[in-house]
Amino acid sequence: MRRFLAVLCLSFGIFAALPPGRAAALEADPVAAARRAYASGDFAGAARAFEETAATRPALATVGLCLDAATAARLAGEPGRAAWWLCRAVLRAPGDAGARKALAAAGLDAGALFSGPWTPLGWLPARWWWDAALAANAVFWLALALGRRRARPVPRRPAAWAGGFVLCLWLAAGYASLVPLARPRGVTLAAVEAASAPEAGAEAVGRFAPGSLVALGPRRAGRLLVVGPDGLAGWVPRDAVATMVP
Amino acid sequence: MRRLSAFALALAVLVPALARAGEPRAAAVVEPAEGVAGRGLTLRVTITGNDAAVIDVPDMPDWTVIPRGRSVGVRGEDGEPVAAYRFEIVPRRSGTLSVPALTVETGGARLTTSPLTVAVRPSPAPPRALAGRDVFLDAAVSRDAPYVGEAFVYTARLYRAVPAAAVTLEPPAFAGCVVDPLPGQRDGEVRDGGRAYATAEVDYLVTPLRAGSLRLGLPTAKLRGLGKAPGETVVSGPELTVGVRPLPAYAGTVPFTGLVGRMALDARLLADARGEAVYELTLTGRGNLEAAAPPTLAAPPGLAVRSLPTEGEVAPTPQGYEGRRVFRYALAAREAGEFTLPAVRLAVFDPVAGAYGVIEAPARSFAAAPEPPPGPVAPPLGPPPVATALGSLTESWAGRALLALLPPALWALALLPRRRSRPAGEGGRPGPSAVAEALRRALDRATDASREPWPEVRDLLARLDRLLYSGEAADAAALAAARDRGLALLRRLGP
């Protein structure tokens, strides 16, 4: 009886954790609103709606949605935001030929996107590490439970190796999720001058083009220290940079 | 002859100017223009050109000079290279101090900057209440009676005569105000009553939004490891009251939208020949620039005006909010022609003068061509994304936690001990094995097993064991009879 209640509680937990109205999850109402705005020529509104969709329903932020949002942003006259969406699309699915082609057409370098500490193996995004860790974790524990249930002895050495493998996958998923927080990157939304200090009237040390991939540093007085791929470092207004989402 | 003279005159004017364009130039500026004795200011020497420079800093008895490095960049639309050399200069006394002309050698040229003067106020005296205390928190405001919308500086100052491991300064709530912390914390040292106090000052730029008495609550300082005191020590500062003055009644004809400060307005057209142009109004200066609403444009007939997102940057400084706001408007002409956008005027209240003034952007004209043919059709979008239930789970942290914990939970369930199956009784009555176990326990508790009914119990127990555990096929009727007899014996034995 007790075991039955426990399984019932777990099943209820899974059910409650599913997105509201399982059927509604398969629809895409916010996306439909964005597509309607796009069709009516309101590209800025469409770009905003795509962004809200990705923020509120991360599962809908697929490569296709990222590319659509990039198109809307480009037509709305926001090349920096379009570049941000393209980078997000390629980070989400590095092997997607359409995303890479769109990134190259925008004059952006996919190699720079995958250099640095963000991706442990250079091309596996954080989402894939999570999927692998969750799948391996499920197989490992369910195999142990099945062995116990059937009173079959579990060989210790293979079990230890399998456990170590699952632990490594967890560590990789944690690393891939935490590195973007510890070493954030972003994309400049517009052409912006980089100042030598976070003070009003500080000298300009250079200029970032819209869509430049930059490493983000500390924030001070509404300004952000950014470092470009060519080593140019300077303080820019915080609003001029969109933080990259892995 | 007259033409030759004019040519010579033009040469005389133009050649030195052209020569100056390529020559390095040096300029020095002190920021901010006013200071306090003992507090550092920034002396910035800007030198044009790509060559390295050597700056000869003469002896400055009124200042302590600390080099703070060099930064290189470009300036202006033509990308003129500029190097900025920064020095921190700390005034040693109050008064009107001078920064002498600096000699700069760069690219074989020897340049001289203009001498500067800086007004330096004396550093504030320690408060009387400080006497005899180890820790004291004081607060002050830069203006006792600001106007609504006029920014003032709130300073929290901590005096400490004993060491502390960690100090956290928390300002009051500032209800009814817009508040921005000013960058940087100033540390110093003062002496009072024969004791040396380390001071730490934090500034906040406060803009009151309502007239009347503004109560600024208690600032607090939390100190850990203060002297020999264990735990955290909390010190409160004074509560201040600021009388916020309402703006005087405005009776002008130019629209007033609540701008307070000293500002300037300018206008320009970014594109003026293709039917749609962008008209830019730039509001610069010091004051509540963030509160500025986009001015309403009086568009001439035949011209459609559409507001674009406002841009600009406004930063808090000890003197107030400084920066610029850029209001942009897209202009679309319904037909070709010459259009003139009238001058834009705004009323601004100057809190220093205590009076309203008018700032004006001049009128701008542009020629609009007929509307161009429609642009390329927007490319079709891809198929709408579809989210699966499992995908939604793996994308959220809660779903990931659930999926991660579910398999180990199932494994833990498998670890629970299985309940042994007992031979079922009939009609809720205990089975033969339960009866046998109960008889065995009763026999173990017996004091004298030789007296009745224990021999009978022993015989029945042996029979039940034989029927249950001998491995032979048990006769159900014999088993039931033995169980019933055992139950009868148990009833006789009592609880």
Side-chain angles (χ1 to χ4, degrees), chain B residues 81-410:
Chain B
V82 173
Y85 293 78
R86 300 176 68 193
F87 299 88
E88 183 180 353
I89 54 174
V90 185
R92 293 176 180 162
R93 64 177 180 85
S94 59
T96 302
L97 307 186
S98 62
V99 175
L102 307 177
T103 305
V104 179
E105 288 186 20
T106 177
R110 191 177 176 84
L111 312 171
T112 306
T113 65
S114 302
L116 305 167
T117 57
V118 182
V120 177
R121 299 191 305 272
S123 59
R128 289 180 185 173
L130 177 63
R133 298 201 186 188
D134 289 338
V135 184
F136 184 71
L137 181 60
D138 197 12
V141 291
S142 62
R143 285 182 178 82
D144 292 328
Y147 284 101
V148 172
E150 181 189 6
F152 63 89
V153 177
Y154 177 93
T155 303
R157 187 179 297 118
L158 180 71
Y159 295 86
R160 185 166 46 81
V162 290
V167 179
T168 309
L169 271 174
E170 290 183 6
F174 295 120
C177 303
V178 175
V179 180
D180 272 303
L182 289 171
Q185 170 185 309
R186 294 188 305 278
D187 296 322
E189 189 176 312
V190 296
R191 295 193 71 81
D192 185 62
R195 301 180 76 184
Y197 287 88
T199 62
E201 291 182 16
V202 183
D203 292 332
Y204 298 87
L205 194 62
V206 183
T207 307
L209 302 177
R210 289 191 295 269
S213 180
L214 174 65
R215 284 181 60 197
L216 302 173
L218 305 176
T220 54
K222 294 178 180 172
L223 303 100
R224 277 194 290 121
L226 181 67
K228 293 179 180 176
E232 191 175 71
T233 306
V234 179
V235 182
S236 296
E239 182 180 276
L240 302 179
T241 302
V242 176
V244 181
R245 290 182 283 176
L247 299 182
Y250 177 66
T253 54
V254 176
F256 174 66
T257 57
L259 291 179
V260 177
R262 287 188 168 174
M263 304 172 194
L265 192 62
D266 196 11
R268 66 171 181 162
L269 281 161
L270 298 183
D272 57 356
R274 291 293 114 196
E276 184 167 0
V278 175
Y279 177 71
E280 236 183 45
L281 273 175
T282 306
L283 184 67
T284 56
R286 179 187 303 164
N288 57 349
L289 293 162
E290 292 283 6
T296 306
L297 287 189
L303 194 67
V305 178
R306 179 167 53 90
S307 286
L308 298 174
T310 302
E311 296 176 355
E313 50 192 54
V314 179
T317 70
Q319 288 76 42
Y321 290 94
E322 292 181 356
R324 63 182 187 134
R325 296 285 305 280
V326 181
F327 307 104
R328 300 170 73 236
Y329 305 85
L331 309 177
R334 295 191 189 95
E335 55 189 24
E338 181 86 14
F339 294 91
T340 300
L341 286 155
V344 177
R345 294 185 182 86
L346 292 175
V348 180
F349 179 74
D350 185 347
V352 178
Y356 289 92
V358 175
I359 54 176
E360 178 179 323
R364 298 289 182 200
S365 300
F366 77 102
E371 192 170 338
V377 178
L381 298 177
V386 175
T388 61
L390 185 63
S392 302
L393 266 182
T394 56
E395 289 288 345
S396 69
W397 287 104
R400 286 172 179 172
L402 182 73
L403 289 178
L405 294 177
L406 187 60
L410 289 175

Side-chain angles (χ1 to χ4, degrees), chain A residues 26-53:
Chain A
L26 303 178
E27 297 168 5
D29 288 336
V31 179
R35 295 170 76 86
R36 276 197 300 275
Y38 183 89
S40 65
D42 180 11
F43 303 121
R48 275 197 304 276
F50 278 128
E51 194 162 352
E52 285 169 12
T53 303

Side-chain angles (χ1 to χ4, degrees), chain A residues 10 14 17 19 25-26 31 35 38 62 68 75 92 127 130 137-138 141 144-145 148-149 170 196 199 203-205 223 237, chain B residues 44 46 71-74 84 86 313 378-379 381-382 384-385 387 389 392 395 397 400 402 404 406-408 410-411 414 418:
Chain A
L10 276 173
I14 296 172
L26 303 178
V31 179
R35 295 170 76 86
Y38 183 89
T62 59
D68 288 349
L75 292 174
R92 189 169 179 85
R127 190 170 56 90
W130 272 105
N137 181 68
W141 288 106
L144 286 184
R148 174 80 189 177
R149 182 78 188 167
W170 278 126
S196 61
E199 301 157 2
E203 274 78 21
V205 296
R223 286 179 163 264
Chain B
R44 198 186 309 271
T46 312
S71 56
V72 181
V74 294
R86 300 176 68 193
E313 50 192 54
L381 298 177
S392 302
E395 289 288 345
W397 287 104
R400 286 172 179 172
L402 182 73
L406 187 60
L410 289 175
W411 172 78
R418 289 190 199 175

Side-chain angles (χ1 to χ4, degrees), chain B residues 1-11:
Chain B
M1 186 64 190
R2 188 180 298 170
R3 189 175 295 175
L4 190 62
S5 302
F7 180 68
L9 183 62
L11 274 182

Side-chain angles (χ1 to χ4, degrees), chain B residues 442 445 454 487-495:
Chain B
R445 286 198 302 268
W454 298 114
L487 286 172
L489 274 173
L490 285 171
R491 274 195 294 274
R492 273 174 58 197
L493 292 171

